[in-house]
Amino acid sequence: MPKAILGISAYYHDSAAAILVDGEIIAAAHEERFTRKKHDPSFPINAAKYVLDEAGIAYNDLTAVAFYDKPYIKFERLLETYHSFVPKGLISFLSAMPVWIKEKLFMKKMLNDELAKLGDKKVPVLFPEHHLSHAASAFYPSPFEEAAILTLDGVGEWATTTIGHGKGKEIQILRELDFPHSLGLLYSAFTYYCGFKVNSGEYKLMGLAPYGNPQAEQTITFKKKILEHFVDMREDGSILLNMAYFDYATGLKMAKDKKWEQVLGIPIRKPESNLTQEYMNLALAIQMITEDVVLRLAKTTQELTNSRNIVLAGGVALNCVSNGKLLKSGIFDDIWIQPAAGDAGGALGAALAAWHIWKGEERNAVTGQDAMKGAYLGPDFSARDIEKVARKSGAKYHYFEDDNQLYERISDILAEGNVVGWFQGRMEYGPRALGNRSIIGDARNPEMQKKMNLKIKYREGFRPFAPSVIEEDIQEYFELPTKSPYMLLVVPVNEKRKTPEPEGYNDLEMYDRLYHLRSDIPSITHIDYSARVQSVSRDVNPRYWNLINKFKEKTGYGLLVNTSFNVRGEPIVCTPEDGYRCFMRTEMDYLVLGNYVFDKKEQEKIKDDSNWQEEFELD
């Protein structure tokens, strides 16, 4: 009988389930993809059923279930925090206490009640610490036999940052920074102040930062004031937050708005309101501080471990601009980042910690290749499933028996300036679409970024898009000496691709800068001449590689624009039905489900009674 471990993350945000069989990662998925509720925090019943089914394992035959943190210690932190800040926060303490008692103190019971829906046997349930789960998710699937480990997020039980060292099957935690001093919560507080949603809009803040003017007096002043009033940054990368300015420890908000306004001289931005230059400069200031903290932490990590490799996880590891700076710094020779770096990845990390630490099983690292299978760990669907959706929707399609003919046709369609929904194989695990649940277009087309943002994704026009480039051509377009399979590194576009900046570029209005043609691949070249690169391997995703390569044969360009297959506020599509529905609700031109091609012009308008643009809460 194979040994199988089910990993679970739940009850905060981005619930997920993952399964190992004899140490091999078989399947993993976010609950949001099944329930269609973005960042769904509920117990991942659908994801758990899926991974068990994919593995061919009955719940009763599991060796163990691993939950991604220790709820009792988290409850202890909540109580101690309120005790430390008495009498502040009494009102929020009284309103939150009934929920905490139910959700934190009795979480074990809640968890056991949910697990009982999967099977009736008493399977051992393990509770590794939150940051150990992150560390395990970063180290064990990495291509390194030995590596330094850095985990950074908002907060787990007490820890907000850990430095560790992984070797073979062992993980040793060497240093820890505790709540309330948190780089993740600091960044989230600025996300909140700039009018974006906490635990969702942090990547928007990162995308906004390049619109800030690094030479502007205001940006320099913002940075100085943040370091004077809000955060004490030490040489070793540790930080101390001045809690007189923050409200997340005992209140119901991230920041004390009035106090921030007194220091920064600008009010909190209202969500969805006009973005003015001052908020762009503020976003840049906090991004620069974040990068500085990460580089200092990385130096400390290298000194403590003497390792040449580093692995990262935790929500801050999704800051791909910071990751790109870390790679360029040369502090480490090589870097690997868990593609599901946030809390969803804790499900996988918990399972891996159980396998290697609790069970003591050996680890076989494959040099140069990770164990994540390209992060293609979610459900896939058959031709029959696709045909069923087509029949149900009365959809017209063209079927391509021959794969090469499909690549020929779709590469032509892309070269003509069309936007294509590309739905293939197993769904991605983690927040990025990596060519299986993607919306794709021609990176050479100067109108593509605007079209995708405003007519397909229905999101803010300033947000950048990423390129998918075939692995063999990375250096042709980008200053990137290594692979980047999970779209987690931002690097400069090659000099030879760039067009000159106009005079006074940084002083131009936002959209004048945005629509300036910065390179011969304008739709993926961000405002600061950078790009968030996904490299595509022929071995890991042959269908996506073949499509891009066919596009290269026709156009000379071995890359495409790639964004996640969803509209703003909606989780990435999971099923063919999700894909067809999203296709019909947007101005996407073509949909490809497996080898079935749907042309928008041939479809009858579907009757849709849902007010879907209100159904998905804006992220």
Side-chain angles (χ1 to χ4, degrees):
M1 170 83 64
K3 294 175 189 164
I5 295 174
L6 174 67
I8 297 284
S9 67
Y11 304 128
Y12 184 43
H13 57 91
D14 294 307
S15 293
I19 197 163
L20 308 179
V21 178
D22 291 334
E24 182 188 354
I25 303 166
I26 301 297
H30 300 234
E31 184 67 5
E32 65 165 22
R33 309 287 165 85
F34 301 92
T35 62
R36 315 306 301 151
K37 293 176 192 165
K38 191 136 187 174
H39 305 302
D40 193 339
S42 61
F43 180 84
I45 189 75
N46 298 287
K49 284 176 179 174
Y50 155 68
V51 298
L52 288 164
D53 182 61
E54 186 69 40
I57 299 284
Y59 176 82
N60 287 2
D61 294 330
L62 287 171
T63 305
V65 174
F67 187 73
Y68 81 132
D69 70 9
K70 290 184 180 294
Y72 284 168
I73 299 179
K74 190 171 273 191
F75 186 63
E76 171 194 280
R77 187 247 304 164
L78 294 165
L79 290 178
E80 282 194 28
T81 299
Y82 270 91
H83 185 257
S84 307
F85 284 90
V86 164
K88 282 187 283 183
L90 182 61
I91 292 167
S92 70
F93 174 75
L94 293 173
S95 64
M97 186 49 84
V99 178
W100 288 348
I101 287 174
K102 177 175 175 278
E103 291 190 0
K104 300 289 188 292
L105 195 55
F106 296 126
M107 190 179 283
K108 270 193 180 177
K109 182 184 184 309
M110 284 169 63
L111 193 56
N112 285 326
D113 289 347
E114 294 289 355
L115 292 171
K117 296 172 187 174
L118 298 170
D120 56 9
K121 186 183 164 192
K122 269 291 219 189
V123 175
V125 180
L126 311 171
F127 295 89
E129 284 193 355
H130 185 95
H131 273 261
L132 178 61
S133 295
H134 277 320
S137 80
F139 175 61
Y140 291 128
S142 79
F144 309 130
E145 166 59 25
E146 170 276 328
I149 306 167
L150 182 58
T151 70
L152 301 132
D153 68 3
V155 61
E157 296 85 4
W158 278 102
T160 64
T161 301
T162 65
I163 292 171
H165 189 221
K167 191 168 185 182
K169 66 178 180 181
E170 306 295 331
I171 286 179
Q172 188 181 6
I173 302 296
L174 304 171
R175 290 268 177 94
E176 186 175 293
L177 181 67
D178 283 348
F179 184 85
H181 309 294
S182 163
L183 182 60
L185 291 173
L186 175 67
Y187 202 83
S188 288
F190 279 86
T191 300
Y192 158 80
Y193 204 76
C194 288
F196 303 125
K197 196 172 175 183
V198 172
N199 290 329
S200 173
E202 283 77 5
Y203 62 96
K204 290 191 200 181
L205 192 69
M206 182 180 70
L208 187 66
Y211 291 89
N213 185 343
Q215 279 85 46
E217 182 74 29
Q218 189 182 48
T219 307
I220 296 160
T221 302
F222 278 152
K223 190 176 174 190
K224 191 175 165 209
K225 286 185 170 180
I226 293 165
L227 292 171
E228 273 177 8
H229 295 272
F230 297 167
V231 57
D232 178 7
M233 178 169 54
R234 306 292 171 86
E235 198 53 46
D236 65 356
S238 60
I239 59 172
L240 288 174
L241 299 191
N242 182 349
M243 295 310 293
Y245 289 94
F246 297 90
D247 212 21
Y248 59 76
T250 56
L252 301 172
K253 298 184 305 190
M254 291 304 297
K256 294 184 176 171
D257 302 355
K258 289 279 182 278
K259 294 190 98 167
W260 277 48
E261 191 174 336
Q262 284 165 10
V263 171
L264 299 172
I266 59 171
I268 183 170
R269 175 180 165 259
K270 288 187 169 63
E272 307 304 314
S273 65
N274 234 6
L275 271 164
T276 53
Q277 189 61 45
E278 53 205 2
Y279 295 99
M280 301 174 209
N281 292 340
L282 184 60
L284 178 59
I286 190 59
Q287 177 65 32
M288 289 161 78
I289 289 167
T290 299
E291 290 162 16
D292 203 354
V293 171
V294 170
L295 289 178
R296 291 183 187 202
L297 282 168
K299 281 180 189 161
T300 303
T301 303
Q302 206 285 319
E303 287 160 11
L304 287 171
T305 62
N306 207 27
S307 178
R308 296 312 312 157
N309 307 309
I310 188 168
V311 296
L312 303 177
V316 179
L318 293 171
N319 191 310
C320 33
V321 179
S322 167
N323 296 340
K325 298 275 170 68
L326 174 55
L327 176 70
K328 191 180 178 185
S329 72
I331 297 167
F332 291 90
D333 295 340
D334 211 347
I335 180 172
W336 190 85
I337 306 143
Q338 166 53 242
D343 276 3
L348 176 61
L352 287 162
W355 180 252
H356 294 293
I357 298 170
W358 179 64
K359 292 295 289 179
E361 297 284 353
E362 292 301 326
R363 170 177 176 264
N364 301 310
V366 185
T367 308
Q369 189 180 326
D370 67 48
M372 290 297 296
K373 301 179 180 178
Y376 306 115
L377 295 167
D380 60 354
F381 297 88
S382 67
R384 188 166 165 269
D385 294 324
I386 295 165
E387 287 176 8
K388 204 186 294 181
V389 169
R391 274 198 305 275
K392 185 178 167 186
S393 308
K396 294 183 174 64
Y397 60 80
H398 301 270
Y399 177 71
F400 288 79
E401 189 81 47
D402 181 83
D403 287 350
N404 284 323
Q405 286 179 1
L406 176 72
Y407 306 138
E408 279 278 354
R409 179 71 185 116
I410 302 307
S411 56
D412 281 339
I413 284 168
L414 289 163
E416 288 160 9
N418 293 293
V419 176
V420 175
W422 181 254
F423 181 112
Q424 304 290 329
R426 294 183 70 178
M427 180 180 67
E428 297 89 342
Y429 179 52
R432 308 279 174 247
L434 301 169
N436 279 10
R437 300 290 186 277
S438 291
I439 299 171
I440 54 177
D442 184 353
R444 303 169 305 157
N445 187 328
E447 295 298 312
M448 191 55 64
Q449 196 232 15
K450 185 191 280 189
K451 181 178 179 180
M452 280 190 167
N453 264 334
L454 304 180
K455 295 190 171 186
I456 314 291
K457 303 281 282 188
Y458 301 115
R459 69 185 200 181
E460 303 96 334
F462 75 84
R463 286 163 64 176
F465 287 107
S468 292
V469 58
I470 55 174
E471 218 170 62
E472 297 80 354
D473 286 4
I474 297 171
Q475 279 85 41
E476 181 63 33
Y477 302 99
F478 308 107
E479 292 179 20
L480 179 60
T482 186
K483 297 182 286 189
S484 176
Y486 302 121
M487 211 187 273
L488 286 169
L489 294 169
V490 166
V491 296
V493 170
N494 271 348
E495 281 298 327
K496 66 178 180 181
R497 298 274 165 204
K498 295 178 184 176
T499 53
E501 284 183 12
E503 203 173 322
Y505 179 65
N506 280 321
D507 298 319
L508 294 173
E509 287 297 314
M510 176 194 249
Y511 287 103
D512 291 333
R513 276 178 286 161
L514 178 60
Y515 298 129
H516 166 66
L517 292 184
R518 287 175 290 283
S519 73
D520 64 341
I521 41 176
S523 286
I524 58 84
T525 304
H526 199 20
I527 202 93
D528 59 350
Y529 292 82
S530 70
R532 182 171 48 122
V533 179
Q534 180 208 356
S535 57
V536 181
S537 160
R538 186 176 197 165
D539 296 331
V540 178
N541 194 335
R543 287 179 75 81
Y544 197 35
W545 187 94
N546 277 314
L547 174 66
I548 302 171
N549 194 54
K550 185 60 70 176
F551 183 80
K552 181 187 175 183
E553 287 174 17
K554 290 174 187 291
T555 65
Y557 285 70
L559 80 170
L560 293 170
V561 181
N562 171 17
T563 188
S564 55
F565 197 152
N566 60 329
V567 293
R568 183 183 172 192
E570 178 191 21
I572 294 172
V573 300
C574 176
T575 66
E577 190 167 9
D578 296 336
Y580 186 75
R581 190 187 308 117
C582 185
F583 165 64
M584 290 302 292
R585 285 172 168 178
T586 67
E587 294 178 53
M588 222 179 297
D589 302 300
Y590 288 84
L591 169 66
V592 187
L593 300 173
N595 282 40
Y596 296 77
V597 178
F598 300 77
D599 180 343
K600 178 64 68 61
K601 295 186 294 293
E602 295 176 357
Q603 309 306 313
E604 286 181 30
K605 202 166 181 339
I606 55 173
K607 187 174 186 299
D608 189 353
D609 295 327
S610 67
N611 194 352
W612 64 272
Q613 281 174 303
E614 288 179 19
E615 174 190 331
F616 300 123
E617 189 182 327
L618 294 181
D619 60 5

